[in-house]
């Protein structure tokens, strides 16, 4: 059969022409189903072979016989025939899926392939891969293959985190715990008095609340010092944090404390709390539902937690990181309420729980039950086992300590019963009240004000104080030292110990001594001709004004004193010296000899009426006189005879009594040390004692003495000494080890050594001949000695004056002249021999010995004694203690005293180096500023805190403040020498001197000084009756605080950072000043109202009278004219404070048109304020100020640096206007 028409192309054609047409109208009578399209009219269709629909290409399928074979696509599960399929790694794909798989194969589990677009979407959505569309097919495949490898280890560790145990969706089902009673914290511990509370649950309740106040002191980290967070956290919460995170959970603890001390958080009274019991372990826990506000957002999160004393059962939170649905996550808001509950226990809840418990326990309160209901309401000790009672006593003791009671020892706890503990606590309320009053938490800085009056306490510090974990009680907020989380208290600037002065806003009445300052500047030759610095010009003007009040004699005296003081400063700047404390200076003071007070003689007694006896002593006295008494006699101290000392070295003949040995030095052999007394003898003490014993015995052995003798021995300096190193076996507590020591010992000379100098042998023949010559020379010198009084010269003068009268007298004169000439000849001979001997002695002592040593007998005859005169040469260690016993330590560096080093900088430093390191243009400018801040006082200039010279300390201070070459205290310690703590004290002392100088000096330049110094252009702009000052605000960067209140107080939306804000003023003459720093959240208008500079300006103007009309002689009060930027709302405030005026640019609402006058005024003020912006820039040029407030830095310190730098800049920079 062959159809004569075309087969239908669509379903519509198939329905329109349902049958095929055949020739002669003879269609087939029967056809199977797969040949249905060939059926004609009247053809019967039967099932026949099985037919399937193939996927085909582009989703255009076709039918085929199942008997031909077919498969299913692995990816889309569609049927494909043998002709429309492809295989890859024995995996069947249809043609469309095979096309995708052949482009990007998917390596992964079960060999399931993914298209490239799904890979890109998954990488971008789940793995936050940015720029995924820029990757090639191969790069997408490579990263997709390793995406799980990166986080595989973290994912494995996440699975091992135990808390919380159950997912969040099981919170409300209460499958794993059972509700006991509700708790209303506003009622304190009243839930203990609930009649429905079964006594069997009381041990578990006490266990839970006792765990909240149990603290354990131990090392938590590998750091040198653990964070204060661990001191303020109970052990229960620390365990919760460690088992809720992969790491130690420190950040979770820190954020918990931060949210707990947020001022926006609600109190515990508003929380819904329930006591629950876990079904598995029967542990008592709590379920708390509350709201926790975000730190820096307006969001408030709904949180809920169920926890026992050992584990977190379940939790949930509505924040982005909180646990929800099937998740098990502990976020930073979860444990906040548990920590607040801990704080509440320390405040009053623990005390209230104990009082309620004492009311229900029998024998805890000395009272009888009123009726049978009260008796049934009470709990007897028989309700609990011994183990439960022991646990209850431990937890009650913890609650007593948290409530302010004394710590109970373990022995005392075992001897007391539970009623006894509760009874003692119930009677000690007065002591707890005093303790609670003493341990109050400091108030929160909820009010903006100067930072010098604030304490930037970290949340860890506040938490530790709230938990009463501080050792010392804090009576006031100012008694608390600053610290931050995880940082050391000894590396920051708070370690500086300096006195806090009163508020810097107080202006002292003491006036600077300008004449003395300028006199010192002139003596130091530090005057700078034609200087433009405003501060130096003001000093010169004010000093010249004081000259008129002094006489010529007073000026000359002051100049002489200044030159003398400057010479002393120059001398002290050249060498360092040890800086002694007051106690050390007192120890060095010499004791004055006792003052002998002579008592006046007693008045004579009136004569007795009795007749005196013949033996009466009154008859031996003159009338009106008395015999000398013992009190009138002056005691003459007797000269003590020096102790007899003999050299014990090998029969040495030297002693201290003979004149020939007076010049020889003596040293005592080290004494035999006494036995160490005490049970806790230190190892180093015993080691040094045994080394000293060895030193003594070795010396005595070399001196040919008994080493074990304990008598006192001496040795002279005629002998040779040397440093030797010896290893000593030290025994201590049944242990033996060797230690090396450096010892000073006499040179060990044997009996047959040529170094052994015997005093008995006369030597060889040549030695004896030399000895005879020397002895003869000594005899000649002795005979030639001449008496100066009765010598030949005196006799010669007598003979010249003599006039003989007879022959016998003439003969005697001739004999006398002959004797005189003989004596004179012997004298000349003795002089010659003495000179020759002295020459030989000098040559022998100055030349090195390269020959055989001289015989001792020859040495004595020649006057060459074997001793060293210079004690520093004789003592090898060059110290007062001759014999040295120094412990030898491997790798130990020799100790170098800072006071013995040469100064790093002195007054000869060039100006270029001064400018590079301190910012001062020259050494003269630096010295001038030192004289200014010290007010010309020598004691203030030379005041030191280290062994550096006075100039070095000042130079170090300025270099650290400038911060270009010295930015860290570590660097300063390396360069200058002292430790960081001493450097901090020195810098703090210099800041104190600068702050005091700023208070002494007038805050502003007077109107007349301003008119004289400022440029002529300002006289054209402003009239004589205007006292102009320009004000602006700026920021000082601060770090991010852990306390939420401090974070909000210091965060400025304008600067978008945590910062401090301060005012800067500039006068037309160029004088720059600053006001106090305030937290960054204060607005400019509020700062102007409350800072107090307007009041200071009013007081200054009232003291500085101005002659407004020149030549009139009428002086009036001239208020300030404040030039502000637009936005300051200060006109009313300035007017009310002394009728001060305000000049600022015009501003208007949005889209409002400015008039010509307003535009010109705004441009006029903006032009002038450009100079004030330069003044703001100058006030922040210091690196220390620019760095801002850092952790552990005192707010007083950064405030001092801010206020003193602007004062200093007036003496080192040209005026900005």
């Amino acid at each position: 059969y062959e159809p004569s028409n075309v087969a239908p192309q669509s379903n519509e054609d198939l329905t329109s022409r349902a049958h095929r047409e055949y020739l002669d109208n003879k269609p087939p009578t029967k056809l199977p189903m797969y040949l249905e399209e060939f059926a004609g009219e009247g053809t019967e269709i039967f099932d026949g072979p099985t037919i399937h629909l193939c996927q085909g290409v582009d989703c255009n399928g076709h039918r085929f016989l199942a008997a031909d074979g077919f498969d299913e696509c692995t990816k889309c599960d569609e049927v494909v025939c043998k002709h429309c399929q492809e295989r890859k790694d024995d995996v069947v794909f249809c043609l469309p899926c095979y096309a995708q798989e052949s482009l990007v194969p998917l390596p992964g589990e079960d060999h399931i392939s993914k298209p490239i677009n799904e890979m890109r979407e998954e990488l971008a959505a789940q793995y936050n891969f940015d720029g995924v569309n820029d990757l090639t097919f191969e790069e997408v495949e490579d990263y997709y293959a390793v995406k799980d490898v990166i986080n595989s280890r973290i994912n494995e560790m996440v699975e091992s985190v135990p808390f919380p145990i159950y997912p969040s969706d099981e919170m409300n089902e209460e499958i794993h715990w059972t509700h006991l009673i509700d708790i209303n914290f506003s009622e304190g511990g009243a839930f203990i008095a609930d009649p429905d509370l079964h006594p069997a649950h009381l041990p578990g309740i006490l266990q839970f609340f006792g765990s909240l106040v149990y603290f354990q002191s131990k090392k938590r980290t590998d750091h040198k010092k653990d964070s204060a967070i661990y001191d303020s956290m109970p052990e229960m919460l620390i365990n919760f944090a460690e088992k809720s995170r992969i790491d130690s959970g420190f950040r979770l603890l820190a954020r918990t404390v931060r949210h707990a001390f947020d001022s926006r958080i609600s109190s515990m009274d508003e929380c819904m709390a329930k006591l629950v019991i876990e079904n598995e372990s029967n542990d008592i826990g709590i379920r708390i539902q509350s709201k926790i506000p975000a730190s820096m957002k307006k969001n408030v999160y709904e949180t809920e937690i169920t926890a026992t004393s050992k584990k977190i059962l379940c939790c949930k939170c509505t924040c982005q990181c909180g646990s929800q649905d099937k998740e098990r996550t502990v976020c930073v808001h979860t444990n906040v309420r548990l920590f607040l509950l801990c704080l509440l226990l320390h405040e009053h809840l623990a005390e209230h729980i104990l009082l309620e418990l004492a009311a229900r326990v029998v024998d805890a309160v000395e009272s009888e039950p009123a009726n049978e209901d009260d008796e049934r309401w009470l709990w007897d000790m028989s309700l609990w086992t011994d183990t439960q009672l022991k646990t209850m006593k431990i937890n009650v003791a913890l609650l007593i300590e948290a409530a302010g009671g004394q710590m109970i020892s373990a022995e005392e706890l075992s001897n007391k019963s539970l009623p006894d503990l509760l009874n003692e606590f119930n009677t000690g309320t007065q002591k707890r009240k005093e303790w609670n009053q003493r341990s109050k938490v400091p108030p929160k800085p909820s009010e903006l004000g100067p930072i010098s009056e604030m304490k930037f306490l970290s949340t860890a510090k506040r938490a530790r104080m709230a938990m009463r974990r501080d050792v010392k009680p804090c009576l006031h907020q100012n008694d608390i030292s600053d610290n931050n989380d995880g940082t050391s208290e000894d590396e920051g600037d708070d370690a500086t110990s300096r006195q806090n002065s009163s508020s810097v806003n107080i202006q002292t009445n003491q006036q600077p001594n300008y004449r003395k300052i300028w006199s010192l500047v002139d003596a130091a030759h530090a005057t700078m001709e034609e200087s433009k610095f405003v501060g130096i010009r003001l000093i010169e003007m004010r000093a010249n004004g004081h000259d008129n009040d002094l006489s010529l004699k007073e000026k000359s005296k002051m100049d002489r004193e200044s030159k003398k003081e400057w010479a002393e400063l120059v001398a002290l700047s050249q060498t360092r010296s040890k800086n002694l404390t007051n106690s050390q200076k007192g120890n060095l003071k010499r004791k004055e000899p006792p003052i002998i007070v002579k008592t006046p003689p007693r008045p004579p007694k009136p004569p007795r009426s009795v007749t005196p006896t013949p033996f009466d002593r009154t008859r031996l006295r003159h009338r009106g006189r008395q015999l000398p008494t013992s009190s009138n006699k002056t005691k003459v101290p007797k000269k003590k005879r020096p102790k007899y000392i003999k050299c014990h070295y090998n029969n040495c003949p030297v002693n201290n009594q003979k004149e020939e040995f007076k010049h020889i030095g003596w040293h005592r052999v080290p004494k035999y040390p006494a036995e160490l007394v005490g049970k806790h003898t230190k190892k180093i003490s015993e080691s040094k004692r045994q080394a000293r014993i060895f030193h003594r015995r070795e010396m005595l052995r070399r001196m040919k003495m008994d080493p074990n003798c304990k008598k006192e021995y001496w040795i002279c300096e005629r002998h040779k000494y040397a440093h030797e190193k010896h290893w000593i076996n030290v025994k201590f507590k049944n242990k033996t080890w060797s230690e090396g020591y450096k010892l000073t010992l006499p040179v060990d000379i044997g009996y047959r050594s040529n170094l052994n100098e015997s005093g008995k042998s006369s030597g060889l023949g040549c030695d004896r001949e030399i000895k005879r010559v020397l002895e003869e020379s000594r005899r000649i010198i002795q005979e030639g000695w001449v008496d100066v009084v009765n010598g030949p010269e005196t006799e010669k003068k007598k003979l010249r004056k003599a006039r003989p009268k007879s022959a016998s007298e003439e003969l005697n004169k001739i004999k006398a002249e002959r004797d005189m000439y003989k004596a004179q000849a012997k004298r000349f001979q003795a002089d010659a021999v003495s000179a020759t001997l002295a020459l030989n002695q000098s040559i022998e002592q100055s030349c090195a010995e390269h020959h055989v040593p001289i015989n001792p007998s020859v040495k004595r005859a020649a006057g060459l004694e074997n001793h060293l005169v210079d004690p520093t040469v004789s003592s090898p260690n060059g110290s007062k203690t001759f014999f040295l016993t120094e412990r030898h330590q491997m790798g130990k560096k020799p100790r170098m005293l800072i006071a013995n080093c040469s100064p790093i900088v002195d007054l000869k430093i060039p100006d270029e180096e001064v400018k590079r390191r301190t910012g001062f243009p020259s050494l003269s400018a630096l010295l001038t500023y030192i004289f200014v801040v010290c007010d010309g006082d020598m004691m203030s200039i030379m005041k030191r805190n280290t062994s550096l010279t006075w100039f070095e300390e000042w130079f170090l201070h300025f270099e650290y403040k400038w911060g270009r070459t010295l930015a860290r205290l570590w660097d300063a310690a390396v360069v200058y020498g002292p430790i960081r703590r001493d450097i901090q004290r020195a810098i703090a002392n210099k800041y104190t001197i600068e702050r005091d100088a700023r208070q002494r000096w007038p805050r502003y330049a007077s109107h007349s000084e301003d008119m004289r110094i400022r440029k002529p252009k300002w006289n054209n702009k402003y009239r004589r009756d205007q006292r102009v000052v320009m004000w602006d605000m700026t920021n000082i960067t601060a770090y991010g605080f852990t306390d939420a209140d401090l974070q909000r107080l210091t965060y400025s939306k304008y600067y978008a950072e945590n910062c401090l804000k301060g005012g800067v003023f500039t006068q037309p003459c160029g004088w720059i000043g600053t006001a106090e720093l305030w937290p960054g959240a204060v607005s400019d208008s509020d700062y102007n109202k409350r800072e107090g500079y307007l009041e200071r300006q009013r007081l200054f103007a009232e003291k500085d009278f101005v002659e407004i009309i020149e030549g009139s002689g009428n002086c009036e009060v001239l208020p300030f004219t404040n030039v502000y930027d637009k936005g300051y709302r200060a006109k009313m405030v300035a007017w009310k404070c002394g009728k001060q005026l305000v000049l600022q640019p015009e501003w208007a609402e949005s889209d409002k048109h400015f008039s010509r006058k307003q535009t010109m005024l705004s441009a006029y003020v903006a032009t002038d304020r450009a100079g004030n912006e330069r003044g703001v820039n100058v006030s922040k040029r210091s690196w220390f100020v620019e760095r801002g407030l850092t952790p552990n830095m005192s707010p007083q310190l950064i405030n001092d640096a801010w206020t003193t730098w602007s004062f200093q800049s007036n003496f080192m920079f040209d005026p900005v206007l």
Side-chain angles (χ1 to χ4, degrees), residues 305-320:
I305 182 175
T306 303
T308 64
S309 60
K310 300 178 181 178
K311 50 191 173 182
I312 300 177
L313 300 178
C314 188
C315 64
K316 64 179 181 179
C317 181
T318 57
C319 69
Q320 291 180 327

Side-chain angles (χ1 to χ4, degrees), residues 98 260 280 351 524 530 544 794:
Y98 178 76
E280 181 179 351
E351 179 181 359
E530 299 180 358
N544 294 333
T794 306

Side-chain angles (χ1 to χ4, degrees), residues 420-575:
D420 294 339
L421 292 175
L422 295 174
N423 190 17
E424 290 181 4
F425 177 80
N426 193 32
T427 57
T429 56
Q430 182 62 31
K431 186 174 182 179
R432 291 198 310 277
K433 289 179 180 179
E434 296 176 359
W435 195 89
N436 290 334
Q437 182 68 24
R438 187 182 66 198
S439 303
K440 283 186 176 180
V441 180
K444 299 178 181 179
S446 57
E447 184 178 358
L448 293 172
I451 65 168
S452 58
E453 301 175 2
M454 298 175 61
K455 285 287 184 181
F456 291 159
L457 298 179
S458 65
T459 52
K461 179 67 177 179
R462 295 176 59 189
R464 187 166 59 181
M465 294 168 54
M467 297 296 181
R468 297 155 186 173
R469 301 286 292 167
D470 279 344
V471 179
K472 296 181 180 180
C474 298
L475 302 179
H476 191 265
Q477 180 181 356
N478 294 334
D479 297 335
I480 305 166
S481 60
D482 305 334
N483 72 321
N484 281 277
D485 305 342
T487 54
S488 175
E489 299 178 4
D490 57 338
E491 185 66 14
D493 295 314
D494 273 346
T496 55
S497 59
R498 59 191 179 94
Q499 300 175 353
N500 292 328
S501 62
S502 57
S503 177
V504 295
N505 292 332
I506 300 176
Q507 191 76 21
T508 59
N509 296 325
Q510 181 183 359
Q511 294 296 327
N513 193 347
Y514 301 108
R515 184 61 181 83
K516 177 65 176 177
I517 296 173
W518 194 250
S519 178
L520 266 178
V521 172
D522 191 33
H525 304 289
T527 55
M528 295 176 287
E529 298 181 358
E530 299 180 358
S531 175
K532 296 182 180 180
F533 303 154
V534 180
I536 295 179
R537 296 181 66 181
L538 287 177
I539 294 175
E540 186 176 5
M541 292 172 55
R542 294 170 182 176
N544 294 333
H546 286 190
D547 278 345
N548 301 328
D549 301 333
L550 300 176
S551 63
L552 183 60
K553 185 177 180 180
E554 292 175 341
K555 296 178 187 178
S556 301
K557 181 180 178 181
M558 184 179 293
D559 293 339
R560 287 195 304 269
E561 292 178 353
S562 299
K563 291 180 180 180
K564 184 178 179 180
E565 292 173 353
W566 173 245
E568 184 179 354
L569 289 175
V570 172
L572 292 175
S573 67
Q574 296 175 356
T575 55

Side-chain angles (χ1 to χ4, degrees), residues 571-738:
L572 292 175
S573 67
Q574 296 175 356
T575 55
R576 293 181 177 180
S577 60
K578 187 176 180 181
N579 185 40
L580 301 178
T581 61
N582 293 330
S583 59
Q584 292 174 331
K585 292 177 181 178
N587 294 335
L588 293 179
K589 290 181 179 179
R590 295 182 179 179
K591 295 183 178 180
E592 300 293 337
I595 302 175
I596 302 175
V597 180
K598 295 184 179 180
T599 58
R602 295 180 180 179
K605 295 182 179 180
R608 296 181 181 180
S609 59
V610 186
T611 305
T613 62
F615 302 98
D616 193 357
R617 288 183 176 272
T618 56
R619 293 185 177 184
L620 302 177
R621 286 179 277 172
H622 294 283
R623 183 172 297 180
R625 296 185 182 180
Q626 285 185 337
L627 291 173
T629 59
S630 59
S631 61
N632 294 334
K633 295 181 181 179
T634 304
K635 295 182 180 180
V636 180
K638 296 182 179 181
K639 292 185 178 180
K640 291 185 178 180
R641 184 177 181 181
K643 180 181 178 181
Y644 176 77
I645 298 176
K646 171 188 175 182
C647 181
H648 297 86
Y649 184 86
N650 196 15
N651 299 323
C652 180
V654 179
N655 59 61
N656 65 338
Q657 300 296 328
K658 295 183 180 180
E659 290 293 333
E660 56 180 322
F661 302 130
K662 289 290 186 179
H663 59 278
I664 299 178
W666 294 90
H667 299 288
R668 185 172 58 186
V669 178
K671 289 185 177 180
Y672 191 88
E675 293 287 341
L676 297 178
V677 181
K679 298 181 180 179
H680 306 286
T681 304
K682 292 185 178 180
K683 178 179 177 181
I684 186 65
S685 301
E686 181 64 25
S687 174
K688 290 182 178 180
R689 178 180 177 273
Q690 296 184 27
R692 197 168 183 85
I693 294 175
F694 176 85
H695 191 186
R696 175 184 172 85
R697 288 177 176 174
E698 181 65 18
M699 285 196 67
L700 293 178
R701 184 191 67 79
R702 297 188 181 192
M703 293 168 59
K704 310 299 185 296
M705 304 297 296
D706 183 12
N708 297 322
C709 183
K710 297 184 179 180
K711 294 182 180 180
E712 185 180 51
Y713 291 97
W714 293 82
I715 186 171
C716 66
E717 291 186 353
R718 293 182 61 183
H719 313 288
K720 296 181 180 180
Y721 304 92
H723 278 315
E724 296 181 12
K725 179 182 176 182
H726 291 266
W727 290 91
I728 304 171
N729 293 328
V730 182
K731 296 181 181 180
F732 182 73
K733 293 184 178 180
N734 299 327
K735 294 182 180 180
T736 305
W737 68 93
S738 297

